[in-house]
Amino acid sequence: MQWYFVAVLLTILTSSQGILTTLSQSNGKYLYDYATVPFLAEVFKLLLSTLLLWRECRISPSTRVTTEWKSVRLYVIPSIIYLIHNNVQFATLTYVDTSTYQIMGNLKIVTTAILFRLFLRRRLSNLQWMAIVLLAVGTTTSQVKGCGEASCDSLFAAPIQGYMLGVLSACLSALAGVYTEFLMKKNNDSLYWQNVQLYTFGSIFNMARLVLDDYRGGYENGSWWQRLFNGYSITTWMVVLNLGSTGLLVSWLMKYADNIVKVYSTSLAMLLTMVLSVYLFNLKPTLQLLLGTIICMMSLHMYFAPPNMLVDLPTQVRAAPENLKEVAVERRTDS
């Protein structure tokens, strides 16, 4: 499977994630416990990865599986980070609207590139750094509303908690992505086995979060498993499946591509979300959306195109002979 096919699919699923999450609300509130969505998504990923690992082991008995504890315990760290990040996403959307959240999330484009360079020791050319900055500028430009509109001030009208959670979400996303890529590429273990380890800890920590919420609430609404599906609708289940499928695609990209590909996929998903919103929610297309899309396409080309397509190298011209003697020698050679 080619990485660009997975990247396109990830772009589509990520684009629909924000729309589905918004549609799952009723009058701006969640009728279900939003902490159960990441838990069910982790369980879905764990079950599917276990099934695929069993199938792979049957087909290829030589499938590599490292079961040493010193290797398995490393998968605890990204599970904790993803646990916090997934729940911070939902909490942020209770303070800010979807557009504001996505604008703040553009910070993860730059932070991912920085951590990608520092921790994974991956070198990026000057053109690639410029492309990453352009990507952040393009996605932000496309999401900023016209200053002539009354809604222009909505970007700065949210509570301070919303901005703090948005920045935290962007930083956690970058950290989780870089560390997960490190784990996926540190050995040649089966991708499905690595997913099983990752999502086992993810399910455990998400379940611990639900138990902790019950304890803090004094079990006023009963135990978490008794209300696990309370308030769930078809849209909510679509959010669960979307979140789970997105996680599986991300792990594939971490194994066979890198974090920058993931960043471009999720960033372009923001543009796709806005374009779809024009048709789904009768929003008017803006000049900012057009300019942002053009900038992002330029960034995409700058980062992934071969250098010879970006820079016109001067053709080498043979210097003219300095005297008649050199001309005569050249003529003899030609004859």
Side-chain angles (χ1 to χ4, degrees):
M1 187 183 297
Q2 298 295 333
W3 65 263
Y4 48 81
F5 174 78
V6 178
V8 170
L9 186 57
L10 177 61
T11 299
I12 296 173
L13 290 180
T14 304
S15 173
S16 60
Q17 183 175 327
I19 296 175
L20 290 174
T21 302
T22 302
L23 292 175
S24 69
Q25 297 179 357
S26 178
N27 296 324
K29 296 181 180 180
Y30 297 109
L31 298 180
Y32 55 93
D33 185 357
Y34 62 78
T36 62
V37 172
F39 169 72
L40 291 175
E42 291 295 314
V43 173
F44 166 73
K45 291 184 287 186
L46 175 60
L47 293 176
L48 184 57
S49 298
T50 302
L51 179 62
L52 293 174
L53 176 62
W54 173 77
R55 178 176 176 272
E56 184 181 31
C57 290
R58 287 193 60 186
I59 296 176
S60 176
S62 61
T63 300
R64 179 167 176 174
V65 174
T66 303
T67 58
E68 297 179 1
W69 172 243
K70 65 178 182 180
S71 175
V72 174
R73 66 186 180 185
L74 297 177
Y75 289 83
V76 177
I77 298 176
S79 297
I80 296 175
I81 300 175
Y82 278 121
L83 164 66
I84 300 173
H85 174 254
N86 288 335
N87 289 282
V88 166
Q89 279 185 311
F90 281 92
T92 304
L93 287 170
T94 62
Y95 291 100
V96 302
D97 56 47
T98 305
S99 298
T100 303
Y101 171 75
Q102 290 181 339
I103 289 175
M104 292 187 297
N106 294 333
L107 177 64
K108 70 183 178 184
I109 297 173
V110 179
T111 54
T112 298
I114 294 174
L115 295 179
F116 184 77
R117 176 67 182 91
L118 293 178
F119 292 110
L120 299 181
R121 304 295 181 182
R122 303 291 182 85
R123 293 187 61 86
L124 298 175
S125 66
N126 292 336
L127 278 175
Q128 288 177 323
W129 279 110
M130 292 173 61
I132 291 172
V133 173
L134 273 180
L135 180 64
V137 172
T139 52
T140 302
T141 301
S142 65
Q143 295 162 351
V144 173
K145 298 179 180 179
C147 291
E149 301 178 9
S151 57
C152 179
D153 296 332
S154 63
L155 179 62
F156 305 100
I160 186 64
Q161 297 94 324
Y163 299 116
M164 294 176 63
L165 289 171
V167 173
L168 177 61
S169 177
C171 294
L172 288 173
S173 176
L175 179 61
V178 170
Y179 189 82
T180 301
E181 182 178 349
F182 164 75
L183 286 180
M184 292 295 182
K185 293 180 176 177
K186 74 182 183 70
N187 56 36
N188 293 323
D189 279 2
S190 166
L191 170 64
Y192 305 127
W193 167 240
Q194 291 176 319
N195 283 343
V196 166
Q197 298 172 85
L198 187 64
Y199 303 138
T200 296
F201 288 114
S203 299
I204 292 173
F205 281 102
N206 274 278
M207 184 173 62
R209 155 73 191 278
L210 295 173
V211 173
L212 182 60
D213 287 346
D214 287 344
Y215 176 77
R216 289 177 176 176
Y219 298 93
E220 181 179 356
N221 299 320
S223 300
W224 63 271
W225 63 83
Q226 296 174 337
R227 64 176 194 280
L228 183 60
F229 306 117
N230 288 353
Y232 269 57
S233 62
I234 295 179
T235 306
T236 311
W237 282 111
M238 292 177 66
V239 173
V240 172
L241 295 177
N242 181 286
L243 187 60
S245 301
T246 300
L248 292 171
L249 292 177
V250 168
S251 67
W252 193 96
L253 287 178
M254 295 298 99
K255 182 75 170 180
Y256 301 109
D258 57 44
N259 263 281
I260 304 301
V261 174
K262 186 200 76 171
V263 165
Y264 270 92
S265 296
T266 54
S267 298
L268 294 178
M270 297 180 185
L271 294 176
L272 182 58
T273 299
M274 298 190 68
V275 173
L276 291 176
S277 297
V278 172
Y279 298 96
L280 295 177
F281 304 114
N282 295 323
L283 298 179
K284 295 181 179 180
T286 63
L287 177 62
Q288 291 90 333
L289 176 59
L290 175 61
L291 294 176
T293 303
I294 294 175
I295 294 174
C296 288
M297 292 300 103
M298 292 173 59
S299 170
L300 183 68
H301 180 69
M302 285 179 62
Y303 189 91
F304 291 102
N308 59 350
M309 294 182 60
L310 301 173
V311 180
D312 291 331
L313 299 177
T315 56
Q316 294 183 352
V317 180
R318 188 170 58 177
E322 295 182 356
N323 49 52
L324 294 177
K325 185 177 181 180
E326 291 183 6
V327 173
V329 172
E330 289 183 359
R331 287 180 178 175
R332 278 197 212 98
T333 304
D334 294 339
S335 61

